[in-house]
Amino acid sequence: MCELYGDHDIAFPSLGVGHLLGYPADRVADVLIKESISMAEQGNKWKDIKTGELSKEDKKRVYAVGQKHGVFVSLDKDKHCIVLKGTPNSVSKTATEIGSILSSASSAVSPRRKENRHQRGTSSYWKHLLEENPVPEYWKFFQNGKSFFEIVRGFIKGSTEKRYEVDPKTFKAICKLVEDTFNPSLVGQGADARNLNHKRLRVKKVEIIENLDLFKIYNIKRCEMLKNSLNDKRSFPRKLEKIPRCEGIQNITSKGEIMTEKNNSKRLMKDIIPELNEVYLFHGTKKDYVANIISKGVDPKLGSDEGMFGRGVYGCESSTKADQYADDKDKRGTEGRMFLMRFLLGHMYLTEKPNKYKLPPCYHCRRDCCTNQSHQPYDSVVGVKQQSGGLFREFVVYEKNQCYPEYLITYTREN
Ligand SMILES: [Zn+2]
Ligand SMILES: [Zn+2]
């Protein structure tokens, strides 16, 4: 145990060694430093942490930082941790500086996770993908799935959720997606667009949401869909633009490829499996619901029954459409929010007839309520409302684990 000697003392392990070997030092440092400061402020204690030792050079630098700030620094050799003692302010400064020393420490190893070098679509490619079972590579706080999480869980009490602003390149990619899917001539068109007449959306801020628990259930579903397709239970789903333009669904199919997929950049596709019709879609929402969605996701069972295609989670390919739901139709403002969410659309049921679905219709017999035990429903419904001119396609899933709110976009409406 790294005992604490007072309310404002903190202790943390040296990085890149012991249990922490093999994890990106800067990420570990980031998590540890921030959390250790907030834990110290709350008077919390560390759990048992075993780590290796710092090099002589690094030790010297660590002591020097303490001296500079008037903080007592001790390296606990038996327990392999660093203990700081001083006023909260100086301890916090010291911890931050030590953190940056540790993150570039000679003893820290910067690892890579095993890259999937198999040819896309081959069985070894999918096997590799399934076995990895990771969180997205670009996540900062929760890396390498389970093992890292278990380590970090020892440090972060109860927190499996992080939200922070994205890097400039991701910001640019998402701005572009908002712009490319925005159509000024459709603003104010349709029943849900009442009292809107702006010309463009200006993105102010994009935040990424790392919600480990939520992503876990999403990824389990994704693996399950992948396994089903590989085991030939249903084969891989068809892309929307490849579905024949039959009678009754011409309006949907004639719009072609899903706009957010067509316009998406490589940067955002890193962890996406298009073969499963996994896509990013916009989901506009009122400010009051944002925090709840970030921590619990969107649960169709808690939603209203108002949707044209029943009680599901609705996504859209157009930022013009998502923007309609950012506030009250009769109390429009200038600022709005929309999520860029992942959807697992899988096998899509296409329809132009509104229907209060509880689940997508049967994949085998196309009945709404199929009782055949060996039959399974489609994974999602794609529809248009003819009443509003069929302007926008809506993409609906009926299970919470088929969507993940990954980015939160804050924007203003401008003329
Ligand atoms: Zn492999
Ligand atoms: Zn059936």
Side-chain angles (χ1 to χ4, degrees):
M1 263 309 262
C2 297
E3 283 299 329
L4 299 170
Y5 308 117
D7 277 353
H8 306 304
D9 303 344
I10 70 167
F12 46 78
S14 38
L15 306 172
V17 285
H19 277 353
L20 297 168
L21 182 67
Y23 295 97
D26 56 331
R27 290 178 184 177
V28 177
D30 211 20
V31 173
L32 294 185
I33 302 313
K34 283 193 187 125
E35 296 305 326
S36 57
I37 291 167
S38 77
M39 283 179 77
E41 281 167 1
Q42 291 160 21
N44 289 317
K45 293 187 177 186
W46 288 109
K47 289 180 184 169
D48 186 25
I49 304 150
K50 265 190 193 163
T51 60
E53 276 185 69
L54 283 170
S55 71
K56 241 185 184 173
E57 281 304 301
D58 292 332
K59 274 184 205 169
K60 272 190 200 163
R61 295 164 69 196
V62 165
Y63 283 125
V65 173
Q67 236 167 19
K68 188 171 95 186
H69 293 294
V71 168
F72 171 76
V73 177
S74 71
L75 297 172
D76 193 322
K77 268 189 187 165
D78 297 330
K79 292 145 194 163
H80 303 301
C81 65
I82 300 166
V83 180
L84 305 180
K85 194 173 163 63
T87 63
N89 197 14
S90 52
V91 163
S92 144
K93 273 186 200 151
T94 308
T96 311
E97 279 182 43
I98 289 178
S100 64
I101 291 174
L102 295 180
S103 67
S104 58
S106 45
S107 43
V109 180
S110 212
R112 285 252 48 90
R113 71 171 172 185
K114 259 195 275 169
E115 211 182 310
N116 196 340
R117 289 217 179 82
H118 312 278
Q119 200 192 337
R120 193 166 186 108
T122 59
S123 59
S124 40
Y125 175 87
W126 295 119
K127 191 164 171 270
H128 187 116
L129 205 68
L130 282 173
E131 281 167 359
E132 279 277 302
N133 196 30
V135 298
E137 192 198 333
Y138 48 82
W139 278 22
K140 272 192 182 171
F141 285 92
F142 304 109
Q143 253 315 312
N144 272 14
K146 228 191 279 166
S147 44
F148 180 68
F149 170 55
E150 276 159 9
I151 294 159
V152 171
R153 180 159 255 183
F155 301 95
I156 305 174
K157 258 189 7 201
S159 166
T160 59
E161 180 192 315
K162 289 280 170 188
R163 166 183 171 184
Y164 56 92
E165 283 191 53
V166 297
D167 61 275
K169 280 183 181 164
T170 306
F171 179 81
K172 227 175 137 190
I174 291 177
C175 285
K176 191 174 178 297
L177 202 57
V178 171
E179 274 167 31
D180 289 349
T181 65
F182 186 79
N183 184 343
S185 69
L186 294 180
V187 174
Q189 304 265 341
D192 293 335
R194 206 158 67 218
N195 295 323
L196 289 177
N197 59 5
H198 49 286
K199 299 276 184 313
R200 56 168 298 194
L201 304 178
R202 183 188 290 276
V203 176
K204 292 283 184 205
K205 189 160 80 171
V206 178
E207 292 160 285
I208 182 170
I209 296 135
E210 293 186 15
N211 184 328
L212 200 57
D213 290 340
L214 213 54
F215 192 81
K216 225 187 241 172
I217 62 159
Y218 176 83
N219 202 36
I220 288 169
K221 178 69 181 177
R222 193 164 69 149
C223 286
E224 189 191 298
M225 283 170 75
L226 194 51
K227 269 183 197 149
N228 281 342
S229 292
L230 290 171
N231 296 342
D232 232 24
K233 272 190 185 152
R234 275 213 246 184
S235 76
F236 279 94
R238 263 197 288 211
K239 306 300 287 180
L240 187 50
E241 65 276 14
K242 297 270 164 63
I243 297 174
R245 301 182 178 194
C246 307
E247 189 82 31
I249 52 167
Q250 277 140 334
N251 195 347
I252 298 178
T253 47
S254 67
K255 290 186 201 296
E257 208 177 331
I258 299 173
M259 271 158 64
T260 42
E261 191 171 40
K262 191 171 144 194
N263 291 297
N264 214 341
S265 63
K266 262 198 184 150
R267 187 168 194 90
L268 294 177
M269 293 301 285
K270 275 185 194 160
D271 191 68
I272 294 290
I273 309 179
E275 288 88 343
L276 293 176
N277 281 330
E278 180 182 17
V279 292
Y280 279 110
L281 293 169
F282 297 110
H283 180 87
T285 196
K286 290 178 189 157
K287 193 181 178 184
D288 292 353
Y289 300 151
V290 166
N292 201 39
I293 291 178
I294 288 173
S295 65
K296 296 186 190 124
V298 189
D299 193 340
K301 287 176 186 71
L302 303 176
S304 84
D305 207 15
E306 276 170 48
M308 229 16 126
F309 302 100
R311 191 168 291 196
V313 183
Y314 286 68
C316 51
E317 59 191 322
S318 141
S319 58
T320 323
K321 175 74 173 161
D323 175 43
Q324 299 173 356
Y325 303 99
D327 46 17
D328 208 304
K329 275 174 266 191
D330 296 309
K331 252 176 34 207
R332 297 293 191 185
T334 52
E335 192 183 78
R337 278 157 199 83
M338 60 178 77
F339 285 96
L340 186 62
M341 293 181 45
R342 295 190 193 210
F343 277 73
L344 281 168
L345 296 176
H347 292 271
M348 300 174 280
Y349 178 76
L350 274 43
T351 179
E352 300 187 3
K353 287 188 200 126
N355 188 348
K356 302 279 180 196
Y357 292 110
K358 291 202 171 71
L359 275 178
C362 178
Y363 178 72
H364 306 269
C365 63
R366 297 189 173 229
R367 260 180 270 223
D368 285 357
C369 297
C370 168
T371 49
N372 189 321
Q373 294 240 328
S374 64
H375 286 185
Q376 283 184 324
Y378 279 90
D379 299 308
S380 59
V381 169
V382 181
V384 292
K385 298 179 199 170
Q386 286 306 350
Q387 292 98 315
S388 37
L391 296 174
F392 301 102
R393 295 188 289 201
E394 313 212 30
F395 300 82
V396 194
V397 296
Y398 298 82
E399 299 286 346
K400 185 183 164 173
N401 60 6
Q402 278 177 253
C403 61
Y404 178 78
E406 192 163 6
Y407 298 101
L408 174 64
I409 302 166
T410 308
Y411 62 89
T412 51
R413 296 171 174 145
E414 293 184 355
N415 279 305

